[in-house]
Amino acid sequence: MKNSVSFKIIAASVALALGGCSTVVPSSGVPAAAVPMMSKNNTIAENVQISAAHTMMEKAVSAADLVSTLSSPGPFTVFAPTDDAFSAVPAASMEMLLQPSNKQALQKVLYYHVVAGEVSAKDLMAKIAAGGGKTMINTIAGEQLTATVSGGNVVIIGKNGSMGTVTRADVGQSNGVMHVLDGVLLPTM
């Protein structure tokens, strides 16, 4: 699977200071007023369920039985791939991961997008600066991600050539923070 996954990186600016509630608007042209608002009063799992831009992530979280984990107090930092990010993964690979027999592999992929504790964009930028342009992030999957800045955007780099750009930062959650990502990150499989 690791050699068959291609990734689409979409150029976008990093919004470093979002507060309170945030809306993630789907590329389908649905008016912003029609899209439910993510709320800092909701858990990560609840916000993924109502986000029109994270329907594939919601499906994956449910298939991996991680709703209760992402509803727990945490706090967590989640690099949340959008539907556009998941669409760059070959359909056959996604179908395979969503099969009940591959639940453990799907959990590992999702846990590779989650960090224990709350890491704000400001904290992440400070760590990148202190690290001379990059920093390593420990995920709850037991593997590291690399965070760097390219073209003024925060880029998160995983294994197997996987990476994504943060397109919206600091989306508050009751149990942590979400940074919206335009790529799917792959751990060692």
Side-chain angles (χ1 to χ4, degrees), residues 32-138:
V35 178
M37 299 287 282
M38 280 199 228
S39 170
K40 67 179 180 179
N41 297 319
N42 292 340
T43 65
I44 294 164
E46 290 168 331
N47 278 329
V48 165
Q49 288 175 337
I50 65 172
S51 172
H54 291 93
T55 59
M56 190 56 168
M57 185 171 175
E58 174 193 10
K59 187 176 183 178
V61 166
S62 294
D65 288 331
L66 298 180
V67 172
S68 62
T69 300
L70 295 178
S71 296
S72 68
F76 302 108
T77 299
V78 176
F79 295 99
T82 62
D83 289 344
D84 285 343
F86 277 108
S87 72
V89 176
S93 296
M94 282 307 304
E95 287 175 26
M96 181 193 71
L97 275 173
L98 292 171
Q99 292 176 3
S101 61
N102 294 319
K103 183 167 83 172
Q104 194 171 24
L106 180 59
Q107 287 174 339
K108 186 172 182 178
V109 169
L110 293 173
Y111 281 148
Y112 195 52
H113 292 80
V114 181
V115 176
E118 191 168 328
V119 182
S120 70
K122 182 179 176 181
D123 295 337
L124 191 54
M125 291 299 291
K127 289 179 181 187
I128 292 169
K134 71 177 183 177
T135 189
M136 302 306 287
I137 305 167
N138 294 317

Side-chain angles (χ1 to χ4, degrees), residues 167-186:
T167 60
R168 177 167 267 177
D170 292 338
V171 182
Q173 318 284 303
S174 66
N175 60 342
V177 65
M178 180 187 292
H179 302 296
V180 178
L181 205 61
D182 72 356
V184 177
L185 307 170
L186 288 180

Side-chain angles (χ1 to χ4, degrees), residues 1-21:
M1 178 179 121
K2 62 184 173 185
N3 291 328
S4 68
V5 179
S6 64
F7 294 91
K8 172 175 68 173
I9 303 301
I10 302 166
S13 299
V14 176
L16 292 177
L18 296 176
C21 299

